Amino acid sequence: MGHFGAKKSALLGTIGAGFGLILGLATPALAQTASTAATTVDDGEIVVTARRDSERLIDVPATVNVLTAETLARTGVVRAQDFLQLTPGVTIVTGTAEAGDTQINIRGLNGARDAEASVALVVDGILKTNTAQLNQNQGTVRQIEVLKGPQGAIYGRNAAAGAIVMTTLKPTDTLSGAIKGSYGELNTAEVNAHLAGPITSNIGFVLSGNYRTTDGFWRNEFLGNKKVVDDQESYGVDGRIVANLGDATTLDLKGRYAKLTGASINFNASFHLPNFAGVNPAFYENVNDHPFRYYSNIRPTNTQETYEFSGRIEHEFDTVKLSAWALYSNTKQALTADGTSADFARYTFPGATPTSVAVSNKCFQTTAQLTGYPLNPPTFIGKVPTPFLFDPANGSTFGAYSPSTCDGTQLQTRDQRDISAEIRLSSTGNDALSWSLGAYYLNLKRTTGISLGADLGLGVSPVLYNAPGSSNPTSQLFNDRFNTNVYAAFGSLDYKPDDRLSVGLALRYDLEARGAVNLVPFVKDPITGGQINPGQTTRPIGPSSGSFAQFQPKVTLSYKLADAAVLFANWGVGFKSGGFNNSGSKAIVDQSFNNGVTPGTINAGVTIQDRFDKETSSAFEAGLKGSLFGGKLRYDLAGYYTKINNMQFFEFFVGSFGLLRVVSNIDKVDVYGGELNLNAEVLDGWTIFGSGNITGSEIKKNSSRPYTVGNKSPYTADYTLNAGTQLVLPVNDSLKAVLRADYRLTGPTWFHSVQNQERPTLFSGLLPISALALPGFVGNAKYDVTQRKAFGVANFRAGIETDSWTLTAFANNAFDKKFLNEVIPAIEFGGSFISPGQRRIIGVEAGLKF
């Protein structure tokens, strides 16, 4: 702890020194900017909606990174995975398992997979409620604001780590439109287009569409090098009608449809068994050194379909504004893929049932055909499908997603329908005291399923339960329907006694009533003869219910030192509701990993519950923002400290039972750090910009895995660094040349609470009873090789533009840097499931507008 405390003191000292330097240099100047060189509007000031109403960015008492329309156009970003890479202190993992699978980490707070998000997505004043939409194309976006720290009191549900606020194009007074298309390596093409204008003198419209396709970088060797690993095709249509219903009333109606098809489960398995390394060094592999290969006999698929409709109305009274909105959202997702459990013999033993005999016979048949087929070390296919632990001379080590049928199949579904509404009353005018008051309601219905089936060489059934004797008989099933009702009330007071001082107080109360109903039929597993869901013993699993509530205060303070130098501080409470894992999760973990008595089992001591707790956080931030040297240098410096209780964390389990996804809680985590944004106008048209974030963290208590105390917060990069430059050169009166370079360095990252520890695995239980008869500790895994190393990605753009057209060449990940997108350690499995990051794409982009 002494070393940890020394690092913490050094970090805070560095932040303090930087704070003092800028404070000493501060002089009256122009406006605050974002780290991405956003252009200013409204007479030189950046205008944002970071507190629900339009105001100058410098007046917002918090760190806000802004990408204006110019920045978006000149970087070519569209989705969250693009623009968040321009934002310090923020990392994203998306699309590794499926399209809607997105985790955003802001300053150490992460959105756990299968839990609610930690970051609110607000588009044109409406809160999106489905985390599957975080990385979707949101249409004609004209400004993006990334707010850091708890925003629940202001922006509502699931804003514990921050909020992403998007503003899209409004109807124009005359008919206008634009189209932009690009084509690059990997047969990657994208088109975005819109048309906007008036319908009548008081009604206008915006209609937009988008399309994207890519073959992806990776190929499936077993399926003839087909482009079926990370291929994807998506399209969407967005419509908007804005009507002025009199001088004081505006109605805003929106609808959107989006569909995606492509691949899923873009993972390889990596083993971390140091005592096996003498046989083959690949058994103890650093995840950063893994050579990716794909050879599954199942073509993975992923579909996502979204319908969304919303309406928003505003009416201004003499001194009060009334705003209200309602949203309907429906997203359906499904994926199919190869299985993971061949090495634990789920589909290997003949058994006694007709189904198990058929499955085992098919497994033996494909193994005989594939003997000697080259797999990534240390996996191999021997003469028989028995795992090497039981027959080291002739057995096989399949790993996950092998070309044989011995690992089965998987189908995962997630359907969610949301209906939400909000009403808000706020003061208008320039009085010293302003206020707002409102209420919110959400009904969320979500149905999830994870079905494991036997692979008889006939593909994957799209149905969750398939009876014995079918082409894809189900051997394990998790299937639950979740219903959530959310009730919230909120309000705020802001007091500005003079031009220098501003004080704000916001408060929100959320109550989430949740219920879960198990949909798994009470039938036997046709392979093992046990229950198809381990949570079912003598009867079906009954329904569950619970409520989660939280007050979320937020206090803000700002003091203007000069016209363009503002001190600010804020404190707030973040909240994420608790919820329910798939019914039977606790039973399967206890039976498989916490038994320790039955031969072949271990006592891992990991605690998983069918119900996980709510997450709360207390976050403090203080900083200084402003500009120097007559506005030529603009800056934003902040330090922060956050205490998190019951951090929600995703766990992945693999074994003879198949696979299991759950959410657990880490009792206490502390996060602290500092952030600096700089933007300098060197010459007219030439800007350089840079930003940096450093985050320290420590797990203080973890009842689920007590031995991880002292480790770092999962999914949290030690630091991020953004640097770049933009040069705009006039060629003649109408033509400009635009050059831009962006570089992002992401620091080392752990993805699990288990980091440098050694832990028993299923191999530790199997070795003593295998033909090798080795002591259990030989099968232990060590996870010091699972930290993603630091990596840097450079993007370049060069083009020419006029007021009506653009032509640009681009190179994303220009140096083809190889890095990991995600690492998912499966602790009791003895390895990790790892996914590669996006490789280089060089291409050209052209746009036309009128």
Side-chain angles (χ1 to χ4, degrees):
M1 293 298 293
H3 179 62
F4 178 85
K7 290 196 295 182
K8 181 175 179 180
S9 298
L11 170 63
L12 294 177
T14 301
I15 295 170
F19 193 100
L21 174 63
I22 292 180
L23 183 61
L25 292 172
T27 59
L30 290 177
Q32 158 69 11
T33 188
S35 63
T36 52
T39 56
T40 57
V41 295
D42 191 25
D43 297 329
E45 299 288 359
I46 296 176
V47 176
V48 298
T49 57
R51 290 189 292 177
R52 291 280 191 167
D53 291 308
S54 297
E55 61 183 322
R56 298 186 312 160
L57 179 57
I58 194 172
D59 294 329
V60 180
T63 299
V64 184
N65 294 102
V66 182
L67 286 82
T68 65
E70 177 188 298
T71 305
L72 294 172
R74 287 176 173 167
T75 56
V77 302
V78 176
R79 285 164 292 274
Q81 68 189 76
D82 303 318
F83 65 76
L84 289 180
Q85 294 302 310
L86 299 172
T87 309
V90 182
T91 57
I92 182 172
V93 172
T94 186
T96 53
E98 58 183 327
D101 183 25
T102 300
Q103 296 87 53
I104 297 175
N105 185 297
I106 298 182
R107 293 179 173 177
L109 277 82
N110 193 65
R113 182 183 276 109
D114 294 338
E116 299 296 334
S118 293
V119 181
L121 174 62
V122 180
V123 182
D124 294 324
I126 295 178
L127 174 66
K128 301 294 184 78
T129 50
N130 193 335
T131 59
Q133 298 185 32
L134 280 171
N135 200 39
Q136 288 185 0
N137 188 318
Q138 297 295 327
T140 54
V141 177
R142 288 298 175 263
Q143 182 159 298
I144 299 173
E145 304 161 26
V146 182
L147 292 74
K148 299 170 183 177
Q151 303 296 331
I154 299 174
Y155 276 110
R157 188 172 182 269
N158 292 348
I164 298 172
V165 181
M166 295 185 177
T167 304
T168 69
L169 179 69
K170 290 183 178 180
T172 51
D173 294 334
T174 59
L175 188 65
S176 64
I179 183 169
K180 180 182 287 187
S182 65
Y183 183 81
E185 292 179 286
L186 313 181
N187 197 27
T188 300
E190 186 162 5
V191 178
N192 292 274
H194 78 266
L195 189 66
I199 299 176
T200 69
S201 59
N202 295 321
I203 303 175
F205 77 97
V206 179
L207 181 64
S208 66
N210 62 83
Y211 174 80
R212 185 178 186 273
T213 183
T214 181
D215 288 344
F217 184 86
W218 304 97
R219 304 290 178 260
N220 186 307
E221 303 169 23
F222 183 72
L223 298 180
N225 287 322
K226 286 186 177 180
K227 304 166 185 177
V228 295
V229 176
D230 53 344
D231 64 306
Q232 195 174 92
E233 182 178 35
S234 63
Y235 63 89
V237 178
D238 290 76
R240 184 179 191 182
I241 293 178
V242 179
N244 294 319
L245 308 179
D247 294 337
T249 307
T250 302
L251 177 64
D252 190 348
L253 302 175
K254 298 177 70 177
R256 66 189 303 263
Y257 172 78
K259 187 172 183 178
L260 177 145
T261 58
S264 64
I265 310 292
N266 182 15
F267 289 100
N268 274 194
S270 177
F271 291 89
H272 313 309
L273 303 166
N275 296 312
F276 288 9
V279 177
N280 190 325
F283 272 115
Y284 185 45
E285 180 182 55
N286 189 306
V287 293
N288 299 283
D289 300 330
H290 179 81
F292 280 91
R293 291 176 61 199
Y294 297 87
Y295 33 66
S296 163
N297 69 308
I298 300 292
R299 190 268 199 255
T301 67
N302 182 205
T303 60
Q304 181 188 64
E305 191 169 27
T306 298
Y307 298 87
E308 186 177 276
F309 304 96
S310 66
R312 189 172 190 268
I313 190 167
E314 284 191 357
H315 180 80
E316 293 196 13
F317 298 94
D318 290 339
T319 58
V320 174
K321 180 171 70 175
L322 174 68
S323 61
W325 58 260
L327 170 70
Y328 170 84
S329 174
N330 192 325
T331 299
K332 298 180 182 296
Q333 301 179 109
L335 70 83
T336 64
D338 210 347
T340 60
S341 57
D343 274 326
F344 301 106
R346 181 174 185 83
Y347 301 107
T348 302
F349 298 138
T353 67
T355 299
S356 65
V357 171
V359 170
S360 182
N361 287 342
K362 187 65 177 179
C363 173
F364 271 72
Q365 175 188 345
T366 59
T367 301
Q369 294 170 346
L370 294 170
T371 298
Y373 184 89
L375 305 182
N376 247 358
T379 56
F380 61 94
I381 298 180
K383 296 179 181 179
V384 295
T386 304
F388 82 99
L389 294 173
F390 302 95
D391 189 352
N394 300 298
S396 303
T397 300
F398 294 105
Y401 320 119
S402 82
S404 79
T405 65
C406 303
D407 47 7
T409 66
Q410 60 176 299
L411 164 68
Q412 300 188 33
T413 63
R414 182 184 179 96
D415 299 341
Q416 182 170 319
R417 187 233 67 189
D418 307 330
I419 298 175
S420 57
E422 181 182 282
I423 185 169
R424 181 174 182 259
L425 200 64
S426 59
S427 62
T428 59
N430 297 314
D431 297 336
L433 183 67
S434 59
W435 56 270
S436 69
L437 192 65
Y440 172 82
Y441 171 74
L442 164 68
N443 175 254
L444 182 155
K445 294 185 182 297
R446 178 187 300 148
T447 303
T448 65
I450 301 177
S451 175
L452 303 186
D455 186 356
L456 295 175
L458 300 175
V460 186
S461 169
V463 179
L464 284 171
Y465 176 69
N466 298 278
S470 64
S471 64
N472 186 210
T474 303
S475 64
Q476 178 188 283
L477 179 61
F478 295 98
N479 188 199
D480 293 88
R481 182 173 62 245
F482 303 96
N483 185 70
T484 300
N485 284 293
V486 179
Y487 310 89
F490 55 88
S492 66
L493 288 172
D494 289 282
Y495 180 57
K496 190 173 183 180
D498 54 45
D499 290 338
R500 290 183 175 273
L501 180 64
S502 178
V503 181
L505 171 65
L507 180 64
R508 181 184 176 96
Y509 177 76
D510 275 275
L511 172 63
E512 300 210 6
R514 296 191 163 218
V517 177
N518 181 253
L519 305 177
V520 177
F522 190 61
V523 295
K524 296 289 187 179
D525 174 358
I527 309 299
T528 66
Q531 289 296 329
I532 199 169
N533 183 307
Q536 298 176 335
T537 51
T538 59
R539 59 183 183 275
I541 300 173
S544 302
S545 62
S547 295
F548 305 89
Q550 183 66 40
F551 280 102
Q552 299 166 73
K554 188 175 182 69
V555 180
T556 60
L557 174 69
S558 66
Y559 182 76
K560 185 182 295 186
L561 299 174
D563 288 344
V566 177
L567 281 169
F568 67 89
N570 63 76
W571 169 82
V573 170
F575 165 64
K576 284 174 57 179
S577 174
F580 298 93
N581 290 308
N582 287 115
S583 303
S585 296
K586 174 177 170 55
I588 201 169
V589 170
D590 287 344
Q591 292 174 20
S592 302
F593 303 120
N594 295 327
N595 186 342
V597 177
T598 304
T601 62
I602 59 174
N603 188 4
V606 57
T607 303
I608 297 296
Q609 306 293 343
D610 282 349
R611 166 176 164 159
F612 55 91
D613 291 332
K614 69 179 182 180
E615 174 185 304
T616 61
S617 56
S618 174
F620 174 77
E621 178 188 34
L624 175 69
K625 58 172 66 176
S627 58
L628 301 168
F629 312 122
K632 297 296 184 182
L633 174 66
R634 293 172 286 184
Y635 62 86
D636 183 343
L637 174 68
Y640 53 89
Y641 182 77
T642 305
K643 298 181 72 68
I644 309 161
N645 293 319
N646 291 321
M647 173 184 279
Q648 293 173 4
F649 172 62
F650 170 76
E651 287 263 24
F652 188 56
F653 296 95
V654 177
S656 58
F657 55 86
L659 61 88
L660 176 65
R661 300 164 50 142
V662 297
V663 178
S664 67
N665 292 102
I666 303 175
D667 303 70
K668 295 183 182 298
V669 181
D670 285 0
V671 179
Y672 55 89
E675 190 169 299
L676 174 65
N677 299 281
L678 295 172
N679 184 300
E681 184 181 3
V682 181
L683 298 170
D684 289 343
W686 182 21
T687 306
I688 59 174
F689 39 89
S691 60
N693 171 281
I694 182 169
T695 297
S697 61
E698 182 182 14
I699 296 174
K700 294 288 190 178
K701 182 180 179 182
N702 187 3
S703 299
S704 178
R705 296 183 182 274
Y707 53 87
T708 63
V709 170
N711 289 350
K712 295 183 178 182
S713 177
Y715 283 78
T716 302
D718 287 350
Y719 55 84
T720 63
L721 174 67
N722 289 80
T725 185
Q726 180 174 285
L727 181 62
V728 180
L729 294 173
V731 178
N732 55 40
D733 291 343
S734 61
L735 185 65
K736 298 176 182 176
V738 180
L739 305 173
R740 184 176 176 108
D742 287 280
Y743 178 76
R744 165 69 174 238
L745 178 64
T746 303
T749 306
W750 293 102
F751 289 88
H752 201 283
S753 59
V754 178
Q755 292 164 14
N756 287 309
Q757 286 74 32
E758 180 177 324
R759 299 304 302 161
T761 71
L762 291 176
F763 296 106
S764 306
L766 292 171
L767 277 174
I769 63 172
S770 72
L772 301 176
L774 296 173
F777 73 85
V778 176
N780 289 0
K782 191 172 183 181
Y783 288 90
D784 57 341
V785 290
T786 61
Q787 184 184 41
R788 180 177 68 185
K789 66 181 181 181
F791 65 95
V793 173
N795 298 333
F796 299 104
R797 293 173 66 86
I800 52 177
E801 65 179 40
T802 70
D803 291 338
S804 58
W805 58 267
T806 62
L807 182 63
T808 305
F810 63 86
N812 296 332
N813 191 3
F815 303 117
D816 201 21
K817 176 66 177 180
K818 297 179 181 179
F819 64 96
L820 296 174
N821 192 355
E822 185 178 23
V823 179
I824 303 179
I827 304 304
E828 286 70 35
F829 163 68
S832 298
F833 292 82
I834 59 178
S835 178
Q838 176 63 55
R839 302 293 294 273
R840 183 191 66 200
I841 297 180
I842 297 175
V844 64
E845 174 188 282
L848 180 67
K849 57 184 177 180
F850 63 90

